[in-house]
Amino acid sequence: MERATNKQKILIVDDSEMNRAILADMLGNEFDILEAEDGSEGVAMLQRHSMEISLVLLDIVMPKLDGFGVLSMMNKYHWIEDIPVIMISAERGSSHVERAFEMGITDFISRPFDALIVHRRVVNTILLYAKQKKLMSLVADQIYEKEHRSSLMIDILSHIVEFRNGESGMHVRHVHILTETLLTALTRKTERYRLSPTDISVISTASALHDIGKIAIPEEILNKPGKFTPEEFAVMKSHSMVGAEMLEGLTAYQDEPLVKAAYEICRWHHERWDGRGYPDGLKENEIPISAQIVALADVYDALTSERVYKPAFSHEKAVEMILNGECGIFNPLLMDCLRDCADEIQEELGNDTALRQGQREMQNVARELHKHEELTASERTLELLEHERMKYSFFAAMTEEIQFEYTVQPSMATLSAWGAERLGVDEIIMDPEHNERAMQLLGKENWQGLADALHATTPGNPVITYDCLINYEGGGRWTRIVARATWSSDEPPRYTGAIGKAIDIHDSRMQMDNLERMATHDAMTSLLNHATAKKRVLERLKERPEGKYALVIFDLDHFKQANDTYGHMFGDRVLVHVANKLRQSIRDGDIAARVGGDEFLIFLECKMEIEPAVERIYTALTGRFENFPISVSMGVATIESVGSDYNALFQAADRALYTVKRSGRGYFRFYDDSMESTLSAISPIDGGQEAPKPAQNEKGEC
């Protein structure tokens, strides 16, 4: 039984309903009580609520699974490290108590219960663990932030070097992964170099700075596509000493392991096992193992990456060339390591995602926490964090959402692995506003619109929704961006970036557009239907009541004859032909619709005389279609003569059309008051106009 509140949760595991009720009554006012009637149910609840439970009150003697069985499961899944357990039982034997404490319980309460003792021991235990968890959380947060910032700064600095060097933006990350993989393989093979997990982390991180000295190399040499002259090669080789001297200049940090490792790597990563490298001609184990490993990693990635002077080789070919000595001589022990972990290297590089990078950072956090002996570092907490990151990445891929994070300082966008692959971009995009590919995807107008929407949020109302076209997969696709702006805790708050997701809504948007078009347009002719035309006319009259407007209604003369003679399919083609002619004869701002059957409607606005415009349209509609003569009868009503009421305009135009049809068809006529009383007496001579000849010019400026 669960009682959902915001209080701390206590799980009572006892097969006696009375005991559970007594404990619940004692503690229920202060805590949220979960109850399990046996050990199996207790384990199931721990699986579901392990992150929420603050304490377990556990009976020893129970059916199915007793208290010791529950403790075994809690030890197996590491729950005991985060969730304190108070054993409750009438069994007072020392063996039971001793065994329970050995399995990790925090305290022991015997039955019958004393309310004061139960309450005090429960509260004390929860407070003790809460303080411990808070301290652990603070230390973990600080270490993680330090680790993350360190990685970020090195990535940024390395990106600057690579940007100038014209190399792949992934080179530094690849060298980092290769260095870590090779060092790990080396520790499995030998203990000669006494490398601890912390040493591996430091060397791998320092590898990012291996080519920092290239900042000082002239660009025309750095990016030369052809072979170097001896003079140019001498300048190029100087980058190793330049990088070492730059690090040597950090006098305040010479004792830092990271700086020491970076110095070794910068200076000696071009030395070779046979002494034929530079700058100092070191050989064999005179070369620090850090520099040996990075040298091998650097060569491998250079072979498998495209450069201005060469194409990329395959993984298999690169390994073969290194092992055959085609790229210089390396430590034979490292060659064995390369053979051993060749498949692992390919897998690690193929799985180089932001999630994997985060996992490495979390492993470094775990190593740092183990140094704090005053804390009982809980690896389960870190495992849960990694598990959450894994779930985040998995669900992002399963839901096909492009998830992202954007920071203002530094200007950087980070995408989920699935999203980056879908868009065809790197997971980390520095300065996206000035990144050509990012701007191609989003466009400057959408980027500005999204930025304006995020800047317009407040800390109290930070969420926005923005629909736009993103250019990928060969064209523009409608995408809905749902983002939450992030704000600093300063006064006043500063906008610091955003987190969010981009959801492909293209198919649903197209379906909605199609449904909307079906609801607003005539299926056969693709003109507006009457209801939609009326709505748009009313909107126009409201927006520009001072305009000079006319409403025209026309139908086809002798249309029934076309259907009777040639069939209804031919009649449909006639209607489509007339609709196309109508579209060609009106302006973009005019409104045209099929009213029904063979009857059509036009709403016009003209700056000068309307009659020439009507005459032009009338003439354009008449002619022949597949030897069938097209003739129309047309009635026209103007606002000047009828007023701006739509129904009055439509009725007047309809009366004018009726007048034309009663008088012989085949011409157009404007509505006037005489039509109210003389509909039956109208003829082309005394009541209307003969079918006009094509206009010589288009006066009226319609």
Side-chain angles (χ1 to χ4, degrees), residues 396-462:
M398 290 298 292
T399 57
E400 298 191 348
E401 294 174 350
I402 301 167
Q403 299 183 351
F404 65 88
E405 178 180 0
Y406 171 72
T407 56
V408 174
Q409 292 293 338
S411 179
M412 180 175 70
T414 305
L415 285 80
S416 60
W418 184 89
E421 182 180 357
R422 179 78 180 273
L423 296 177
V425 297
D426 293 335
E427 289 179 45
I428 298 175
I429 303 174
M430 302 299 299
D431 196 12
E433 191 173 2
H434 298 96
N435 181 283
E436 183 178 354
R437 176 57 181 150
M439 285 299 102
Q440 286 175 350
L441 282 169
L442 199 58
K444 290 186 177 180
E445 184 177 341
N446 284 328
W447 175 271
Q448 190 60 51
L450 182 58
D452 290 345
L454 287 167
H455 279 281
T457 64
T458 64
N461 188 22

Side-chain angles (χ1 to χ4, degrees), residues 402-675:
I402 301 167
Q403 299 183 351
F404 65 88
E405 178 180 0
Y406 171 72
T407 56
V408 174
Q409 292 293 338
S411 179
M412 180 175 70
T414 305
L415 285 80
S416 60
W418 184 89
E421 182 180 357
R422 179 78 180 273
L423 296 177
V425 297
D426 293 335
E427 289 179 45
I428 298 175
I429 303 174
M430 302 299 299
D431 196 12
E433 191 173 2
H434 298 96
N435 181 283
E436 183 178 354
R437 176 57 181 150
M439 285 299 102
Q440 286 175 350
L441 282 169
L442 199 58
K444 290 186 177 180
E445 184 177 341
N446 284 328
W447 175 271
Q448 190 60 51
L450 182 58
D452 290 345
L454 287 167
H455 279 281
T457 64
T458 64
N461 188 22
V463 179
I464 62 106
T465 300
Y466 186 85
D467 290 356
C468 62
L469 280 169
I470 292 183
N471 298 306
Y472 69 104
E473 293 189 348
R477 293 192 65 83
W478 280 102
T479 304
R480 173 161 295 157
I481 298 173
V482 182
R484 187 187 194 280
T486 55
W487 294 83
S488 71
S489 57
D490 303 339
E491 281 298 335
R494 289 179 299 103
Y495 170 72
T496 59
I499 56 174
K501 61 183 180 180
I503 309 162
D504 189 308
I505 59 169
H506 190 77
D507 293 341
S508 60
R509 176 74 178 246
M510 292 298 98
Q511 289 175 0
M512 288 300 296
D513 287 349
N514 288 336
L515 288 172
E516 182 179 351
R517 183 170 183 81
M518 290 171 61
T520 58
H521 288 69
D522 173 60
M524 181 185 299
T525 64
S526 296
L527 295 174
L528 296 175
N529 58 34
H530 186 198
T532 305
K534 178 180 178 180
K535 180 180 177 182
R536 294 192 182 180
V537 169
L538 292 172
E539 290 171 352
R540 183 76 58 81
L541 290 172
K542 184 177 180 180
E543 291 170 2
R544 290 175 44 81
E546 73 283 359
K548 191 175 182 180
Y549 301 108
L551 191 144
V552 179
I553 298 177
F554 73 88
D555 65 11
L556 304 183
D557 299 329
H558 312 298
F559 181 66
K560 185 175 183 299
Q561 180 181 341
N563 282 328
D564 292 345
T565 305
Y566 301 103
H568 287 282
M569 292 182 65
F570 178 79
D572 291 345
R573 297 208 306 276
V574 170
L575 293 174
V576 172
H577 166 78
V578 171
N580 290 335
K581 286 288 187 180
L582 177 57
R583 263 190 293 268
Q584 295 167 10
S585 64
I586 62 175
R587 302 167 306 165
D588 289 340
D590 296 333
I591 298 169
R594 182 186 178 198
V595 176
D598 63 337
E599 191 169 88
F600 297 83
L601 174 151
I602 314 167
F603 185 75
L604 305 167
E605 178 182 6
C606 292
K607 295 178 181 178
M608 298 178 65
E609 294 296 323
I610 288 180
E611 184 174 331
V614 174
E615 182 178 339
R616 174 174 52 80
I617 294 171
Y618 175 88
T619 303
L621 293 174
T622 58
R624 302 188 72 83
F625 174 71
E626 297 183 10
N627 294 322
F628 181 80
I630 304 295
S631 171
V632 300
S633 297
M634 183 179 288
V636 186
T638 66
I639 282 185
E640 289 179 332
S641 61
V642 178
S644 60
D645 180 76
Y646 178 83
N647 291 332
L649 275 169
F650 188 89
Q651 186 177 22
D654 192 50
R655 284 185 177 275
L657 171 62
Y658 186 65
T659 300
V660 172
K661 292 171 73 173
R662 288 287 301 270
S663 303
R665 298 190 177 93
Y667 66 99
F668 68 84
R669 178 164 177 172
F670 282 76
Y671 171 83
D672 60 58
D673 292 339
S674 66
M675 294 178 184

Side-chain angles (χ1 to χ4, degrees), residues 211-273:
D211 275 340
I212 191 68
K214 287 184 178 179
I215 289 176
I217 305 300
E219 191 170 347
E220 61 271 17
I221 295 177
L222 198 62
N223 295 318
K224 182 178 179 180
K227 187 177 181 181
F228 290 135
T229 65
E231 294 77 15
E232 289 171 337
F233 188 47
V235 173
M236 188 66 180
K237 289 196 297 183
S238 69
H239 80 274
S240 57
M241 280 302 299
V242 171
E245 289 167 359
M246 290 170 64
L247 291 164
E248 202 169 26
L250 300 172
T251 54
Y253 303 101
Q254 290 305 302
D255 293 333
E256 290 286 336
L258 180 65
V259 175
K260 289 181 178 179
Y263 177 88
E264 293 175 352
I265 291 167
C266 280
R267 179 160 183 164
W268 293 309
H269 72 283
H270 282 291
E271 300 287 357
R272 290 295 179 263
W273 187 254

